[in-house]
Amino acid sequence: MSINASGWRPEMAGKDNADGAAPTFTGNKALMLEEALIFEIGDTTTTGVDIAPAQEGKSRLGNLARDTTIGLPGLSEPETVRHYTRLSRQNYAIDLGLFPLGSCTMKHNPRLNEKMARLPGFADVHPLQPVDTVQGALEVINELAVWLIKLTGMHGVAMSPKAGAHGELCGILCIKAALEKRGEGHRKVVLVPESAHGTNPATAAFAGFKVEDIPATAEGRVDTAALKARLGPDVAAVMITNPNTCGLFERDLKEISDAVHAAGGYVYCDGANFNAIVGRVRPGDLGVDAMHINLHKTFSTPHGGGGPGSGPVVLSEALSSFAPLPYTARTKDGHVHLIEEERAEEFAVEHFGGKLDSFGRMTAFHGQMGMFTRALTYILSHGADGLRQVAEDAVLNANYVLRSLEDVLDAPFAGAGPCMHEALFSDANLADGFSTLDVAKGLIDEGYHPMTVYFPLVVHGAMLVEPTETESKAALDQFIGALRSVAERAKAGDPALKTAPHFAPRSRLDETQAARRPVLAWKDPAPMAAAAE
Ligand SMILES: *Cc1c(COP(=O)(O)O)cnc(C)c1O
């Protein structure tokens, strides 16, 4: 047991630890509780529950029966609950404070969404339940689909992809199927601008395409001339993130789409940042053929730390018939039906004039029901005008951050005009030896989760701040004050910043070693020590 890492000993009298206070017996710092691993606090020979010993019986496992103990720690219920609650208090969360992660859109999740998602008729449905018992759930999926199509000005939508990157794969597979149907499967190149999200080239490569980079201009947008010059009979598609990862709107998108279409290619738009333009811009008007929407960014719903996502893909008329099954559709009888393989052809003849070229399935079932319910609740509670205000406030807040800090932090594209939903800074003017990492670690001591760092790659030492529309001016001012203070310390070369954070449960860790040589399994040191003796 090693619960007492920093207990007081007589020789420590009068001595301070790193943050100026005498160490405590427990290692706790008031409400900041130390917590050991569950294997260290629990004993493998005890159990937290009182079960009568199993009756002797003949084992049917034969030589498969375990002959050593399983080695799991035995803890009582309160010990277990406390362990995980203490650990959870070491987390940062959107319900604790501003979460400035750029590109991730960490915004408040209204409790109303949670209430709706927990209604038994949505929360407890089983994907294999007879369709006539889940009409309400199908209505939700279909109503959300109609909103997504309307908001984007597109023709169809595939609801089942389970995250942004999954949606990218869905869109690219639609494009692949469309090219093959046209007899142009030889188009193997996907053009990806430098300002695109990293998942874009990964998706294209995964789907079997060859990825080629298109450079960015000095002001952080796609180099339209370079892109046009590269178009040709081998190009299948371009993948453009809009707004892009520099937080800028790709103003030439319509011109780019027209050129790509004229050259026989398709336009994939990474719409994960739709939060910044929802209600203001319809990607369909810009010539986009496929675009995923991260419901978990634009339409709230909790995410991060492995939480669920949902990435429906809106499709142009040219691609809609290639969408994966199943999908929902309201038929002439007024009911919403689930279109599966066995009904697809008949349905297509009746409703789409016989066109059905679905490339297959993306998931076993219909997508993330909980996310759909939350997103539709968010949409209906904001209404069309409220959604437009979401985008406007998100952009206003990001510009407020940008303009409030551009005098202290280098802001590479600030001269190009207003930003969209996120403010981009770099480490260009910090003191020698100080970097973006030091600023990020300093922010932890100020009580904030750091912003996104070292992304986008087009900017050296990037710091990407996305405040979202959720934050009040007071909250933004406090965050700006904190970041300004840390930036000033990094510019003045404050040596204490090099070892920050000082107030977190653990100070600076070797992140490279942690990533390259992770120690993922706990080994009991006692037997190892005994073996060594
Ligand atoms: C978040 C994000 C993605 C990936 O979405 P996931 O749901 O994490 O797969 C793709 N592109 C952009 C621009 C993003 O911000």
Side-chain angles (χ1 to χ4, degrees):
M1 291 243 269
S2 62
I3 49 172
N4 177 10
S6 56
W8 189 87
R9 297 185 300 280
E11 63 272 25
M12 292 167 133
K15 294 207 179 106
D16 287 350
N17 71 9
D19 38 298
T24 56
F25 170 77
T26 51
N28 297 336
K29 294 171 187 157
L31 296 181
M32 286 253 289
L33 303 178
E34 264 299 309
E35 188 61 10
L37 296 178
I38 197 163
F39 289 95
E40 293 169 309
I41 54 177
D43 193 318
T44 56
T45 61
T46 62
T47 170
V49 283
D50 222 354
I51 335 176
Q55 280 180 1
E56 278 298 318
K58 201 165 136 31
S59 168
R60 281 187 268 165
L61 292 173
N63 62 2
L64 295 175
R66 175 185 291 279
D67 52 16
T68 53
T69 60
I70 196 166
L72 294 179
L75 289 174
S76 67
E77 181 173 306
E79 287 169 329
T80 311
V81 169
R82 282 183 185 156
H83 172 70
Y84 288 107
T85 306
R86 284 179 181 155
L87 287 183
S88 76
R89 287 166 41 120
Q90 298 185 3
N91 267 337
Y92 193 79
I94 192 68
D95 288 345
L96 283 173
L98 188 153
F99 214 125
L101 268 185
S103 200
C104 292
T105 317
M106 304 297 279
K107 61 203 238 179
H108 173 66
N109 298 292
R111 291 302 177 270
L112 179 65
N113 301 0
E114 299 304 313
K115 198 171 167 188
M116 293 303 114
R118 281 168 176 71
L119 290 176
F122 300 133
D124 298 342
V125 290
H126 190 282
L128 293 177
Q129 237 170 281
V131 169
D132 56 0
T133 66
V134 289
Q135 286 297 302
L138 292 182
E139 279 283 347
V140 165
I141 300 178
N142 202 62
E143 178 76 11
L144 178 61
V146 168
W147 269 93
L148 297 181
I149 290 170
K150 275 233 171 74
L151 286 168
T152 55
M154 299 287 277
H155 187 264
V157 59
M159 296 297 288
S160 62
K162 296 199 173 182
H166 202 209
E168 288 174 31
L169 183 61
C170 173
I172 287 293
L173 290 179
C174 286
I175 288 172
K176 195 174 186 178
L179 286 171
E180 275 162 13
K181 180 155 188 211
R182 266 167 43 187
E184 296 191 44
H186 57 270
R187 289 180 179 259
K188 282 284 178 227
V189 174
V190 170
L191 304 178
V192 181
E194 278 178 353
S195 55
H197 194 263
T199 46
N200 296 185
T203 297
F206 186 71
F209 290 99
K210 198 169 146 285
V211 178
E212 282 185 29
D213 275 354
I214 298 294
T217 62
E219 59 158 34
R221 295 188 168 87
V222 185
D223 185 334
T224 305
L227 187 144
K228 281 183 170 172
R230 180 56 192 83
L231 293 173
D234 59 339
V235 172
V238 300
M239 290 183 91
I240 294 189
T241 304
N242 201 18
N244 71 24
T245 55
C246 298
L248 301 172
F249 189 74
E250 295 287 1
R251 288 183 297 227
D252 292 346
L253 187 50
K254 179 76 176 81
E255 184 187 338
I256 291 171
S257 301
D258 290 345
V260 172
H261 290 152
Y266 292 98
V267 178
Y268 187 91
C269 179
D270 180 331
N273 298 326
F274 194 50
N275 192 55
I277 56 173
V278 60
R280 296 284 314 219
V281 178
R282 300 192 314 162
D285 299 336
L286 303 177
V288 168
D289 291 298
M291 180 181 95
H292 71 270
I293 302 170
N294 288 36
L295 295 187
H296 50 290
K297 293 179 181 172
T298 302
F299 301 111
S300 74
T301 85
H303 68 113
S310 181
V313 182
V314 286
L315 298 162
S316 64
E317 192 164 4
L319 293 184
S320 285
S321 65
F322 299 95
L325 295 170
Y327 44 80
T328 59
R330 192 180 298 284
T331 53
K332 286 172 188 145
D333 63 8
H335 292 297
V336 175
H337 289 270
L338 193 61
I339 311 304
E340 293 274 10
E341 278 89 345
E342 56 271 23
R343 294 206 44 197
E345 284 304 331
E346 167 206 347
F347 182 82
V349 173
E350 203 176 320
H351 298 278
F352 301 146
K355 255 177 54 180
L356 189 98
D357 310 296
S358 172
F359 71 72
R361 297 183 85 92
M362 289 297 289
T363 68
F365 299 114
H366 327 305
Q368 306 277 42
M369 192 63 213
M371 301 291 103
F372 295 157
T373 315
R374 287 174 175 89
L376 184 62
T377 307
Y378 185 83
I379 288 174
L380 294 180
S381 55
H382 279 75
D385 55 338
L387 289 176
R388 166 190 272 254
Q389 198 183 338
V390 161
E392 291 170 350
D393 290 352
V395 171
L396 179 65
N397 283 358
N399 279 282
Y400 184 63
V401 171
L402 180 66
R403 297 307 163 196
S404 302
L405 289 165
E406 64 181 333
D407 63 318
V408 61
L409 278 171
D410 175 60
F413 304 127
C419 62
M420 295 298 293
H421 56 303
E422 49 199 6
L424 180 57
F425 302 101
S426 91
D427 63 359
N429 62 5
L430 306 182
D432 262 5
F434 283 76
S435 66
T436 289
L437 189 70
D438 303 314
V439 176
K441 298 300 181 191
L443 260 189
I444 295 176
D445 276 341
E446 295 288 346
Y448 290 102
H449 188 290
M451 67 302 250
T452 292
V453 294
Y454 300 105
F455 178 83
L457 303 177
V458 276
V459 169
H460 187 272
M463 301 175 219
L464 193 59
V465 178
E466 181 174 2
T468 81
E469 71 283 2
T470 315
E471 302 303 330
S472 67
K473 179 162 180 301
L476 291 179
D477 284 337
Q478 194 191 39
F479 173 76
I480 289 164
L483 185 47
R484 167 175 292 280
S485 158
V486 176
E488 276 165 357
R489 289 169 63 201
K491 286 176 83 169
D494 174 6
L497 195 58
K498 289 298 304 175
T499 48
H502 300 284
F503 304 130
R506 294 293 175 273
S507 59
R508 195 168 306 194
L509 303 172
D510 186 340
E511 289 173 2
T512 311
Q513 286 295 314
R516 297 239 165 102
R517 306 181 56 197
V519 181
L520 299 176
W522 184 79
K523 286 206 179 63
D524 184 357
M528 287 195 287
E533 272 165 18

